[in-house]
Amino acid sequence: RERDKTVLVSEEGIQSGGTPNKQHVPDSKLDRLIKCFALQDTLSDLTNTNVKSGQILCLNGIRVLSINWVVLGHTYMYFLGGNADFGYVGEAIQRHSFDTISNGLPSVDTFFALSGFLVAYLLLKQLTKKGHLAPFEWIAYYVHRYIRLTVPFLMVILIEGFCYQVWFTGPQKPETQGIPGCHKSWWTNLLYIQNLYPWKPDGTSQCVGQAWYLANDMQFYILAPFFILPLFYKPRLGGLLLTGAVVASAITSAVLTYHNNLGLSVLSGNPDAFSMIYI
């Protein structure tokens, strides 16, 4: 009597004359790293509109409005820097309708507010769940933030501060070999103290233009637990500390504005207004 010839290679092998079931081989670390740059694997995540539980949806709208505001303001700053011949910009500045652009710094303040809100929200959520954080968790709190910011920041410093004079060509190519601030004080950028040392009102101590924001953001992140912990364990004390910090910040800005005769915008009054208030 003839029988169906069925060859069993393994439990996952050929079944009833069918095709072999291939065993799944886990991807290596190198494979996973390469797949991070594969569009067919990342496009679905980039275009995914599913909302995960626990997300605060209004923050996405604030981000979109703020980043467009930042891009718009920097576009006109590029024109005013002499990189394009747009004479109408000088006339537009005189109009009150242009104040949203010329005084667009609140768009940056929005990102500080978002960052502070998320740090407080996530940290208070952990404290509510656990009651306290272990020492290694506090170490991870700071180390994770440092690595997350520093790795891409190093790439920007390398390209913009040292390599771009070799790669760039044309009439806008800088005459200096690299950015002086990168050659002299690159190490202060890695410590995120470039807005404190060596501080210069004109901002030339910065390695790259966006470095001031990263320094402020990191310093705020370091100081955040000193306000959040009292707010969790002693709400009244935490509220007083937060109120005192807000009042002190407002008074400091007011004194600097009055003493240095700063204008309502960075485009009016003292040209060092931005460095004095933000950096």
Side-chain angles (χ1 to χ4, degrees):
R1 187 181 59 166
E2 293 186 0
R3 293 178 300 178
D4 294 333
K5 296 181 179 181
T6 303
V7 180
L8 299 178
V9 177
S10 65
E11 292 182 359
E12 294 84 19
I14 302 176
Q15 300 175 354
S16 302
T19 57
N21 294 333
K22 296 181 179 180
Q23 293 184 348
H24 176 70
V25 179
D27 293 334
S28 65
K29 292 182 179 180
L30 179 60
D31 292 334
R32 294 197 298 269
L33 177 63
I34 295 176
K35 284 186 176 181
C36 291
F37 302 93
L39 187 61
Q40 65 269 26
D41 288 339
T42 58
L43 185 61
S44 59
D45 292 332
L46 293 174
T47 57
N48 186 9
T49 59
N50 294 331
V51 179
K52 298 180 181 179
S53 61
Q55 286 190 345
I56 306 175
L57 299 182
C58 63
L59 299 184
N60 296 328
I62 296 175
R63 288 192 185 101
V64 171
L65 294 175
S66 298
I67 193 61
N68 280 280
W69 195 1
V70 170
V71 171
L72 179 62
H74 281 78
T75 300
Y76 278 96
M77 286 176 59
Y78 188 76
F79 292 160
L80 294 174
N83 296 296
D85 185 17
F86 286 86
Y88 75 90
V89 177
E91 299 177 359
I93 294 176
Q94 306 302 322
R95 300 198 301 262
H96 289 294
S97 59
F98 196 80
D99 290 344
T100 304
I101 299 174
S102 61
N103 197 25
L105 290 178
S107 62
V108 180
D109 297 342
T110 304
F111 285 103
F112 283 134
L114 288 175
S115 179
F117 172 80
L118 289 174
V119 170
Y121 174 77
L122 295 176
L123 194 54
L124 287 172
K125 187 177 181 179
Q126 283 187 300
L127 290 172
T128 302
K129 181 179 180 180
K130 299 180 179 180
H132 69 281
L133 296 182
F136 75 91
E137 291 179 300
W138 284 114
I139 295 175
Y141 169 84
Y142 290 110
V143 172
H144 176 266
R145 183 74 165 196
Y146 182 83
I147 295 176
R148 181 183 177 187
L149 291 183
T150 306
V151 172
F153 187 31
L154 278 174
M155 294 299 297
V156 173
I157 290 177
L158 176 64
I159 295 173
E160 188 173 344
F162 296 94
C163 298
Y164 79 117
Q165 73 270 11
V166 179
W167 296 348
F168 285 25
T169 185
Q172 295 299 326
K173 181 178 180 179
E175 297 179 358
T176 57
Q177 295 297 314
I179 300 176
C182 290
H183 290 278
K184 296 179 180 179
S185 57
W186 59 269
W187 60 274
T188 63
N189 290 265
L190 299 185
L191 297 177
Y192 295 96
I193 59 172
Q194 64 269 26
N195 62 327
L196 303 175
Y197 176 85
W199 184 82
K200 295 181 181 179
D202 57 3
T204 56
S205 60
Q206 305 291 311
C207 182
V208 292
Q210 60 271 37
W212 70 270
Y213 177 89
L214 294 177
N216 284 342
D217 186 71
M218 178 62 79
Q219 291 159 15
F220 294 154
Y221 189 81
I222 292 173
L223 295 175
F226 295 95
F227 293 92
I228 297 174
L229 290 177
L231 191 63
F232 177 76
Y233 293 109
K234 302 287 185 180
R236 291 185 178 180
L237 176 61
L240 288 175
L241 287 175
L242 288 174
T243 303
V246 172
V247 172
S249 176
I251 292 175
T252 302
S253 298
V255 171
L256 287 173
T257 300
Y258 177 79
H259 180 72
N260 296 284
N261 192 28
L262 305 181
L264 297 176
S265 168
V266 293
L267 299 179
S268 62
N270 195 315
D272 297 330
F274 177 79
S275 298
M276 292 181 180
I277 299 297
Y278 282 87
I279 300 180

